Structures are given as structure tokens and as C-alpha cells.
Amino acid sequence: MNAIISASELESDLAGENPPVLLDIRWQLSTAKAAGAPAFDGRAEYEKGHVPGAVFVDLDADLAGSAGSAGRHPLPDLERFGAVMRAAGVSADRDVIVYDGGQGWAAARAWWLLRWTGHPSVRVLDGGLGAWSGPLTAGDERPEAGGSFVPEANTTDLLDADAAAALARSGLLLDARAAERYRGDVEPIDRVGGHIPGAVSAPTTENVTADGTFRPAEDLAARFNSLGASGTSEVGVYCGSGVSGAHEVLALAVAGIPASLYVGSWSEWSSDASRPVAKGPDPQ
């Protein structure tokens, strides 16, 4: 199944006999709170207007565990995650569509988690809410009946720090952050700037067009092939905290290239001063 869905396809599916479950994952990476400004409020934005029938899911509270040594957005407690998904109406036998405000990162995190825990049919609205031209509904929504999805962790498609370091030597490890953070020119959030030695810079922002929709699959495949995704080597992705990296895994899926995610990402890697840090444009 395709990993993304267009707004017109979503509109058609919602009018069908078995409409998908809709999850709204409005979220933004922001340093505003550290500067004393109000943080982005995804729920407030959802309540102002959302695709009819969509249920709000909070990335920080529902799609991640507490920040700490494992990173800013470690894996969530699966019992809590499952309860949130069931309350939103998610079942294994019903399609799920996730969207966010347009950047796609938060929706991709939900897409990755649901796939990783065993849901067979999850897609991301390409272009997010900005691509939707239909009516919007204000306020909060909850389904009349809960879902039955029970998430199950698996050992595939997931990297820890040691596996990420090894993959940077034996396969292809992509760094989805902005190039200046990869080089270590700036680091607005984590303890130190730079990248995992051997990782290749591949900003996830280059996977989309000006309107936030994904580039065509053949263009994405060519991009990743040029970075070293030859089809014979294992591919992994990391970012700052496992959110934009999920969007890169999604882009790779659109291109037909399977990839694993290092969820702890740079926020976990850089928290340990004993781990090596490379700086500059060169992977090593």
C-alpha cells in the first residue's frame, strides 16, 4: 500500500462505506518556550478547525515517552499508546489516515509508530491540512465506539545508538536534520553540534516541494540513490529526536526503499559525552 494519500483521495475515502480513522497530529518543533514565549499549542489549533471526524493526538504526550537520557522523544509506553489509539477509534481492520499542519513530520511519527507496532494500513495526508480544501469542523471530537488496536513492539526497523554507529560503517545512515546542524555550525537544542561519524547529510526538507507535498517517487529514488541507497545495503535514518527522521523514513518508503529509524537520534547520541562526534560536511 502507498504510504501517502492525496486530499482528493481522502475525500473520496471519507465518503465511502467504510471511512478511515482520521488522526490530527498538529505539532511544531519550537525553541520558543526556552526563549520565554508561549509554545505551539497543537490542540488549540485542532479545536479551531480540523478535517471532520479527525481526533487530536498529542505527539509529546501520546507518541513519545518522557524526555531524558534516551532522547527528547523516546518510544512511548506501549500500553498508553495503545489506549490512546483505541480511544481514537483505531482498529487493525480499519484504514488510518494521519495528518498535521503541513510540515508532515508529526504525521510521519504517528505513521511510523503505528506501522512499527503492527498496524497494516496507515497513510499520511500528503501536504497535510493545507492540502485539504473541504470543510473544517471546530471543537473536539471523539468516536462513538473505541477501537481494538493492540500495539506490539518488534525488533525490526528500529536502531539503537550502537546499531546506528555500526550501520554508519556497514551500510547507509542518513542524517535528516538541516545541513548546518549536521556540520555542527549551529546547535540550538542539543548539548553539542555535529553528526554521528560516517552518517551522510540528507535534510528531510529536500524531500518535499514548495507546497509541502512529496516529490515524485522517481525523484526521491534518484535522490537517495545518489546518497548511497544502492538497493543492496541497509539504510537507517536519524534526526534530532526521531520526528523529522520518521518523515525521511516515509520519503524513503514513497521511493520504495525500506529503512530503519534511530528513535533516540542526536538528542540521545549527543547526551553521552563518551560518544564520538564528527563535524563539518564530510561524513567522517
Side-chain angles (χ1 to χ4, degrees), residues 42-71:
R43 179 175 288 279
E45 293 301 312
Y46 161 84
E47 291 181 351
K48 289 178 185 177
H50 55 266
V51 179
V55 176
F56 178 74
V57 174
D58 188 296
L59 186 148
D60 291 318
D62 303 328
L63 304 181
S66 299
S69 60

Side-chain angles (χ1 to χ4, degrees), residues 59-231:
L59 186 148
D60 291 318
D62 303 328
L63 304 181
S66 299
S69 60
R72 288 192 307 278
H73 292 105
L75 289 173
D77 175 81
L78 288 192
E79 287 191 10
R80 172 178 169 74
F81 173 65
V84 169
M85 291 298 102
R86 291 189 293 274
V90 174
S91 297
D93 59 355
R94 189 176 174 191
D95 291 351
V96 177
I97 307 298
V98 294
Y99 72 88
D100 56 25
Q103 191 176 39
W105 294 5
R109 172 72 176 217
W111 167 84
W112 183 87
L113 265 175
L114 281 164
R115 285 176 69 252
W116 181 71
T117 55
H119 198 287
S121 179
V122 190
R123 286 175 288 173
V124 171
L125 175 59
D126 195 15
L129 187 62
W132 176 258
S133 60
L136 298 177
T137 298
D140 192 25
E141 292 195 63
R142 287 285 151 181
E144 294 181 4
S148 59
F149 178 65
V150 178
E152 295 184 6
N154 67 75
T155 58
T156 62
D157 303 328
L158 181 67
L159 300 171
D160 61 14
D162 290 341
L167 183 57
R169 297 188 299 269
S170 66
L172 176 65
L173 182 65
L174 299 175
D175 185 318
R177 298 172 301 158
E180 59 268 25
R181 291 184 70 191
Y182 170 88
R183 294 191 301 266
D185 298 345
V186 298
E187 183 42 65
I189 305 174
D190 294 312
R191 184 185 66 83
V192 64
H195 58 270
I196 296 173
V200 175
S201 180
T204 198
T205 52
E206 296 180 16
N207 295 322
V208 296
T209 63
D211 64 1
T213 56
F214 279 103
R215 293 164 56 184
E218 58 272 21
D219 289 358
L220 290 172
R223 182 196 184 210
F224 292 123
N225 287 342
S226 72
L227 293 171
S230 63

